[in-house]
């Protein structure tokens, strides 16, 4: 009975050469061959069967692993190509992500405003009401609505300016 080390030294280069055409990468071929030897180590009963059985097992394992790798790479290529096609359809995922994060940050900061500013901003910007409509609903003057709106905008500008500066510094 020969050791795994013997089979490794004897067949490693051949098995790597055998795997290479499927994966087109020397490193991946080496990884596949090493994985085949790990599988062999987990099957000690095969070591008792002789060199022909072990050699056949190794070649079969390497072939199957290489073909699986090739199939997996083909699937990844299809996915990568479909993503590229989606991006070229005037749909920029990064812009959508930035917009979503910005809207979320705006809502979080809006929640932190004083109650009067917050209510007026929500009615004007989220509900689309006019100054006089907001004034009527809240039973305040139009000037109060304008003042609270301006105060809210200045507070949000300060918070977002700090956020942008922190982002640019890090």
């Amino acid at each position: 009975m020969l050791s795994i080390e013997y089979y490794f030294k004897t067949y490693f280069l051949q098995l790597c050469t055998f795997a290479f055409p499927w994966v087109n990468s020397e490193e991946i071929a080496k990884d596949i061959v090493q994985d085949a030897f790990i599988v062999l180590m987990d099957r000690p009963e095969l070591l008792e069967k002789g060199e022909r059985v072990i050699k056949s097992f190794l070649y079969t394992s390497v072939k199957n692993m290489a073909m699986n790798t090739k199939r997996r790479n083909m699937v990844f290529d299809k996915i990568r190509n479909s993503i590229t096609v989606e991006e070229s359809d005037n749909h920029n995922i990064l812009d959508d992500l930035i917009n979503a994060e910005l809207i979320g940050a705006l809502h979080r900061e809006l929640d932190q405003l004083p109650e009067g500013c917050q209510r007026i901003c929500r009615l004007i910007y989220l509900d689309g009401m006019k100054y006089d409509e907001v004034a009527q609903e809240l039973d305040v003057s139009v000037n109060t609505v304008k003042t609270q709106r301006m105060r809210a905008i200045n507070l949000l500008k300060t918070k977002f300016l700090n956020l942008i500066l922190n982002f640019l510094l890090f």
Side-chain angles (χ1 to χ4, degrees):
M1 184 169 92
L2 300 170
S3 71
I4 289 184
E5 184 179 359
Y6 165 80
Y7 293 114
F8 188 84
K9 287 179 180 177
T10 304
Y11 295 110
F12 183 80
L13 183 59
Q14 292 164 259
L15 291 167
C16 288
T17 303
F18 181 67
F20 183 84
W22 279 295
V23 295
N24 293 320
S25 167
E26 188 176 324
E27 293 302 315
I28 294 173
K30 287 179 182 179
D31 289 343
I32 288 170
V33 172
Q34 289 173 357
D35 289 345
F37 276 99
I38 289 171
V39 172
L40 177 62
M41 287 172 40
D42 290 338
R43 309 247 339 248
E45 74 278 0
L46 285 176
L47 292 175
E48 299 171 9
K49 305 263 180 175
E51 189 166 352
R52 284 164 71 189
V53 171
I54 293 172
K55 183 177 178 180
S56 175
F57 173 82
L58 288 170
Y59 273 99
T60 303
S61 295
V62 167
K63 178 189 77 149
N64 291 337
M65 290 177 187
M67 289 175 69
N68 286 340
T69 300
K70 182 176 181 175
R71 278 189 218 109
R72 200 172 321 116
N73 288 342
M74 289 170 60
V75 169
F76 289 149
D77 288 343
K78 284 182 183 178
I79 292 170
R80 195 175 307 118
N81 289 339
S82 72
I83 289 172
T84 303
V85 168
E86 287 177 16
E87 287 176 356
S88 67
D89 291 340
N90 295 329
H91 182 70
N92 191 335
I93 295 170
L94 184 59
D95 285 346
D96 292 345
L97 176 65
I98 291 169
N99 287 336
E101 288 295 316
L102 187 58
I103 299 282
L106 182 59
H107 279 277
R108 281 191 300 278
E109 293 302 326
L110 190 59
D111 290 340
Q112 301 300 314
L113 291 175
E115 187 178 334
C117 294
Q118 186 181 133
R119 285 178 41 210
I120 288 172
C121 279
R122 288 186 190 280
L123 292 172
I124 292 172
Y125 295 111
L126 299 180
D127 295 342
M129 295 175 74
K130 306 259 187 249
Y131 292 147
D132 56 335
E133 294 171 331
V134 173
Q136 276 183 333
E137 176 145 337
L138 299 178
D139 196 28
V140 295
S141 73
V142 173
N143 284 337
T144 301
V145 171
K146 289 179 181 179
T147 302
Q148 289 294 325
R149 177 188 122 347
M150 200 53 159
R151 182 175 171 217
I153 288 174
N154 287 333
L155 288 169
L156 290 173
K157 276 184 189 176
T158 302
K159 288 185 179 191
F160 277 98
L161 185 60
N162 288 336
L163 182 70
I164 290 170
L165 288 175
N166 285 335
F167 178 74
L168 292 175
L169 291 176
F170 294 103

